[in-house]
Amino acid sequence: MRLFIAEKPSLGRAIAEGLGNGKKYEGYITCGNDTVTWCFGHLLELANPDHYDPALKKWDAKALPIIPDEWKLLPRKGVAKQLNAIKKLLKKADVVVNAGDPDREGQLLVDEVLKHFNYSGDTQRIWLASLDEKSVATALSSLKNNKDYATLSQAALARSRADWLTGINATRAMTLLGRSKGMQGVLSLGRVQTPTLNLIVTRDRTIASFKPQKYAVVQAALNHEKGSFKAQLQPSEDMTGLDEEGRLIDTAKAEAITKEATNQTGTIVEATSQKKTIHPPLPHCLSSLQKAASAKFGMSAKEVLDIAQRLYEKKLTTYPRSDCRYLPEEQFDDATRILKALSSTPVFKAANPELKSKAWNTKKITAHHGIIPTGQTPANLPAEEAKLFELISTTYALQFHLPRTYEAKKIVSEIAGYLWSTTGQTTLETGWMKFDKQPEEQPLPAVEKDDAVSCVESKVELKQTKPPAKFTEGTLIMAMASIHRFIDDAEAKKTLKENEGIGTEATRAGIIETLKQRGYIKADKKNLVSTELGQNIIALTPEQLKDPITTALWESRLSAIAAGTEQFDTFMSDQVHLLPTLITPITESAGTGLQGHSCPECGKALRRLPSKKDKDKFFWACFEHDKPVFLPDVKRKPGTKQPKQQLPQAPCPEEGCDKMMRRFESKKHKGKFFWVCENKEHPLRSDDGGRPGMDFRR
């Protein structure tokens, strides 16, 4: 029997349809001599620290860093039944086919199940970039040896263990430090989430501290014998009144220039013309799709990923977690079929399947290719799925339209001793841009160098510098993918430009959701902004943990492991050696340790917590006892525990009662008192000069 183990049920069903003659059973489908079963994503997960040592259930700075001697995987909750089904099927299998998703995580999640059951038999690999009938048939006829993909599995395992080491240790250290400073709850840090949070916090701080700067733009209306055109002052480097960006901030100087130039004649010192081409935008990868859908539809990164996954499972589009925007030349012949199947809109009707855009380049294909339609005709799609499908398919159709070509002109004139610059363009071929927003044109007269020109009018337009825009989910995804743009170090910028950034196509949306769920960021209309908690986390985090260079270089090394150019053991050894460097700055930042303010009864760390009854009030607590210790908050420090006030007591006057009565003050009427007997069946009594008085019933 040949056993296919798919990443998820939907993938298993697609394979079973491709094999044919399927009979469904609980947890698997038989197809003649083949059987298809499936996982639910990762069925196994790395064990928690207390599984290695029960003492580690208690969070203690002295136990850090926690580094397992031998890593353990445990079944996730709720998967025992499916794991058992796979175990039984493995015993009958002659050949196993790893049918994980076509990426390193998909490779690992099946490989780790095989290792969990000590399966060492013949194993093959099926690589499915799309689930339509033709793609499945092609993939089934070209199975590979699973060993060829071992480095992918190693890269995913290295990512998983590195995340565990950083996340577990840094989170425990930061949480303990937070408690010492009166912060509550788990304060989570992560290899990717913390640099991502730092991007948002840094942007918010830049916006908050931004001071607008006014500057002047000097414009002129120029006449030439062959026509008039507009020009703008081009400040020279030695001009006074400029800021460090070369903007003219001296408005008096700007007004003086307008007066000097108006009604003056000058000369054209430069006149150039160049034919330029704008090619169609490349097919989408997941990041570009998330950015486009965020801008156009206001979709969150997670929504885009989820919808793209559904389109993939409905066999309408190719694999969504792609980091590549190019297409294999071998698939170019499919264009006629795909364009014909989706020919209901103008962009498809006008497409020419014989045109070959720059997107067709097999040499630039990674593990995946751009996200494109499969040629299956969609029917009755929900609104959000229809929007995303149109975005994906339209970008594909644009590959079969001519590029936009235009003539770009530049004129530089000299008038009154100043240079004035003019640019314009004239469309030669609209091409694919007939289906996009048309650029504004400024036709310019045919002028030549040394021609005479005159200034008939000049004026000053005052403008103001603007702060950088707040992140949206789309722009944050692109920032994570293009992290080199946020790095000042030239060498690091060069290295990171050649690599993936921080996170992967598959994980970036989840990172943003995690930051939201933990209260570190929040959505402000379409924007993402950091919360006070998120800002405090970054303020307490050592530079190396929040620096995107650290994480981006790790991602680069993970890619190298997948490519077989770096060793798994070398990477993991470096992670272990680096860990104390990451954790120590946190554990030492509390000065004398992480205890902060100690409990007067046991010496453990006290926690500063908000009062549920009184807004903006706090108290200190220790929960290391059967009865928690509570202390008042005095100027953000624990005060002295106040002894319980002893209530006045007196013997109960009820006949035959040997209990005591206690004197209480009325909550409704201040200054009035009443007496309560220890025997709750006895009536309340009024206060008579500090002694129990009349029964309230009389």
Side-chain angles (χ1 to χ4, degrees), residues 41 45 53 102 133 243 267 301 371 374 506 536 564 589 598 628 633 656 658 686:
E45 60 187 2
D53 182 353
E133 185 177 343
D243 66 7
T267 305
I371 306 171
T374 62
N536 289 339
S589 62
S598 302
D633 181 65
D658 59 355
S686 63

Side-chain angles (χ1 to χ4, degrees), residues 168-305:
I168 291 291
N169 286 285
T171 295
R172 288 195 175 204
M174 181 58 72
T175 301
L176 292 168
L177 174 58
R179 288 177 186 174
S180 76
K181 295 183 178 296
M183 300 171 74
Q184 59 178 325
V186 174
L187 304 181
S188 171
L189 297 183
R191 182 180 63 86
V192 179
Q193 76 169 46
T194 303
T196 303
L197 174 60
N198 190 42
L199 284 175
I200 303 170
V201 170
T202 301
R203 175 64 59 87
D204 290 347
R205 286 175 179 165
T206 301
I207 294 170
S209 62
F210 181 81
K211 294 181 180 179
Q213 177 73 53
K214 291 183 179 179
Y215 65 99
V217 174
V218 185
Q219 297 179 329
L222 306 183
N223 270 352
H224 181 272
E225 65 178 359
K226 292 186 178 179
S228 60
F229 55 95
K230 294 178 181 178
Q232 184 172 302
L233 177 70
Q234 184 177 304
S236 59
E237 291 182 4
D238 58 352
M239 183 182 288
T240 59
L242 303 181
D243 66 7
E244 63 276 6
E245 300 293 330
R247 293 180 291 247
L248 182 58
I249 57 176
D250 186 340
T251 54
K253 174 78 172 176
E255 293 290 350
I257 291 173
T258 63
K259 291 179 181 178
E260 290 180 57
T262 302
N263 297 322
Q264 297 296 309
T265 58
T267 305
I268 291 176
V269 296
E270 181 184 335
T272 59
S273 178
Q274 187 178 7
K275 183 179 178 181
K276 292 192 174 183
T277 301
I278 302 178
H279 294 278
L282 294 170
H284 285 294
C285 65
L286 180 57
S287 292
S288 67
L289 184 64
Q290 287 167 322
K291 181 182 179 182
S294 172
K296 193 169 184 178
F297 310 126
M299 292 180 182
S300 73
K302 186 175 186 303
E303 283 178 315
V304 176
L305 176 56

Side-chain angles (χ1 to χ4, degrees), residues 3 10-11 76 138 222 224 235 254 311 361 363 374 385 408 422 484 540 549 560 567 571 591 634 643 650 656 676 696:
L3 176 65
S10 58
L11 182 56
R76 285 174 41 221
T138 301
L222 306 183
H224 181 272
L311 292 174
N361 191 335
K363 292 179 181 178
T374 62
E385 290 182 18
T422 305
H484 64 275
L540 292 172
I549 293 179
Q567 296 298 311
F571 176 81
V634 181
V676 179
F696 275 137

Side-chain angles (χ1 to χ4, degrees), residues 402-436:
L402 290 170
R404 177 185 181 246
T405 55
Y406 64 96
E407 184 181 29
K409 287 187 176 182
K410 182 179 181 181
I411 301 172
V412 179
S413 309
E414 184 177 4
I415 301 173
Y418 300 102
L419 294 179
W420 304 78
S421 180
T422 305
T423 58
Q425 56 178 259
T426 303
T427 298
L428 302 175
E429 168 61 57
T430 305
W432 67 270
M433 289 196 79
K434 71 180 68 173
F435 304 103
D436 200 70

Side-chain angles (χ1 to χ4, degrees), residues 12 39 82 143 224 622 650:
C39 303
Q82 187 63 16
L143 299 180
H224 181 272
C622 175

Side-chain angles (χ1 to χ4, degrees), residues 74-116:
L74 300 176
R76 285 174 41 221
K77 288 184 179 179
V79 302
K81 193 173 183 179
Q82 187 63 16
L83 265 176
N84 192 46
I86 294 173
K87 180 180 180 180
K88 291 178 180 178
L89 291 169
L90 280 172
K91 291 179 180 179
K92 303 175 185 177
D94 299 309
V95 178
V96 169
V97 180
N98 181 332
D101 276 353
D103 56 25
R104 65 194 194 197
E105 288 298 325
Q107 183 68 34
L108 175 63
L109 69 84
V110 175
D111 282 351
E112 65 190 10
V113 169
L114 298 180
K115 185 176 180 181
H116 179 70

Side-chain angles (χ1 to χ4, degrees), residues 299 307 310-311 314 381-390:
M299 292 180 182
I307 294 169
R310 292 201 293 273
L311 292 174
K314 290 180 178 181
L381 287 179
E384 299 302 290
E385 290 182 18
K387 288 178 182 177
L388 206 64
F389 179 78
E390 182 183 4

